[in-house]
Amino acid sequence: DKAQELIDKRTEQLAKMDEFVQSVFLEIFGDVDVNPNGWNKQQLKQHLLSIDSGWSPNCNDYPAPLGEWGVLKLSAVTGGEYKETENKALPVELQPKGNIEVHVGDLLVTRKNTRQLVGACAYVMNTQPCLMLPDTIFRFNTKDSINKVFLWKLFNDYKFKKIVQNLASGSAGSMPNISKGKLMALEIPLPPLDLQIQFAAIIEKTEQQKALMQQSLAQMENNMSSLMQRAFKGELF
């Protein structure tokens, strides 16, 4: 019970940090639907150098070992936070494509998924090397006129996310898809760059704290598992 209580508290702390990020976004930029500060709206293409597409070969059913090539799964981005472990190992007979390797600082957006999950966006804070984009995930290469962390949290804002999801189209029975053209034409509110940078600094510090808490949670869960095994073996007393 004590071990489970610690896990529950740590999980609650992580949820509170997510709420903190949302409140900071609202405090600095306001409700993006109402746009109370009257930020100018511009098409996304004005702030993009390009949008990269990936590659989805037939891969193995297990994650790529560290230092070996793999391809991300949709689940690496779907939750709005980048998960490097959500990947599949590239078969040894296939040649990797280095131009679509994922790097720290990349901004990734799912172009194809279910209606509720299409348009999910994640920023790569950390990643193991040798992981490639699948063809279901875009990478935004931005100009200096916009901050990637701001754009990440804008895409994850509840109301703006709905706008992005409505860009998707597809025939009945297929997964909705967002084209590059529709993303390029997407209108976004554009606060001053210094405010975007100020916001990004807060988010990066918060993400560092979250990473430490997630490591702590993983250790707690491992300890819980060990306790349970010892209990069933009668080794606690």
Side-chain angles (χ1 to χ4, degrees):
D1 288 346
K2 290 283 187 181
Q4 186 61 54
E5 183 181 349
L6 289 173
I7 290 172
D8 292 343
K9 285 183 177 178
R10 181 64 80 223
T11 303
E12 183 181 353
Q13 287 174 324
L14 285 166
K16 291 291 185 184
M17 294 195 81
D18 288 335
E19 292 174 10
F20 168 74
V21 169
Q22 293 171 3
S23 66
V24 170
F25 185 92
L26 281 172
E27 182 179 344
I28 295 179
F29 305 117
D31 187 324
V32 295
D33 191 41
V34 178
N35 193 16
N37 297 301
W39 309 124
N40 289 330
K41 288 190 173 183
Q42 299 181 3
Q43 289 187 324
L44 185 58
K45 65 182 178 182
Q46 294 180 248
H47 305 280
L48 290 183
L49 296 169
S50 63
I51 297 179
D52 291 338
S53 299
W55 174 46
S56 292
N58 288 325
C59 291
N60 298 317
D61 291 331
Y62 54 84
L66 186 62
E68 296 184 18
W69 288 93
V71 178
L72 293 180
K73 300 191 292 185
L74 270 174
S75 50
V77 175
T78 298
E81 293 190 2
Y82 177 71
K83 296 180 180 179
E84 62 180 6
T85 55
E86 293 296 310
N87 72 79
K88 290 186 176 183
L90 186 72
V92 293
E93 65 270 16
L94 295 181
Q95 288 295 319
K97 298 183 178 183
N99 63 311
I100 55 171
E101 181 181 0
V102 177
H103 301 285
V104 171
D106 281 350
L107 187 63
L108 310 179
V109 178
T110 60
R111 70 164 184 85
K112 189 174 185 179
N113 209 327
T114 63
R115 178 67 61 180
Q116 293 76 23
L117 299 175
V118 69
C121 182
Y123 179 78
V124 182
M125 291 282 185
N126 293 288
T127 187
Q128 69 185 62
C130 302
L131 296 180
M132 294 178 287
L133 294 172
D135 68 0
T136 51
I137 295 177
F138 285 143
R139 173 167 57 195
F140 287 175
N141 298 310
T142 60
K143 298 179 181 179
D144 293 337
S145 57
I146 197 165
N147 183 276
K148 287 183 180 178
V149 173
F150 161 73
L151 196 54
W152 169 35
K153 292 303 181 183
L154 175 64
F155 265 67
N156 282 311
D157 175 81
Y158 176 75
K159 291 183 178 179
F160 194 81
K161 185 185 294 186
K162 294 295 183 183
I163 296 173
V164 175
Q165 290 170 344
N166 286 335
L167 299 176
S169 59
S171 58
S174 65
M175 286 204 299
N177 176 70
I178 304 177
S179 68
K180 287 185 181 182
K182 287 186 177 180
L183 281 171
M184 286 285 199
L186 176 66
E187 286 197 340
I188 59 171
L190 196 71
L193 187 58
D194 59 337
L195 276 184
Q196 297 178 39
I197 294 172
Q198 175 188 337
F199 172 73
I202 296 171
I203 298 308
E204 286 171 3
K205 288 182 180 179
T206 304
E207 289 297 322
Q208 290 171 3
Q209 290 299 315
K210 277 183 64 177
L212 292 174
M213 286 189 177
Q214 285 164 344
Q215 290 175 10
S216 170
L217 177 60
Q219 185 61 55
M220 288 177 184
E221 289 173 339
N222 287 338
N223 290 343
M224 179 68 166
S225 177
S226 176
L227 277 172
M228 294 294 288
Q229 290 177 15
R230 290 171 58 196
F232 282 116
K233 292 178 182 178
E235 297 174 355
L236 293 184
F237 303 101

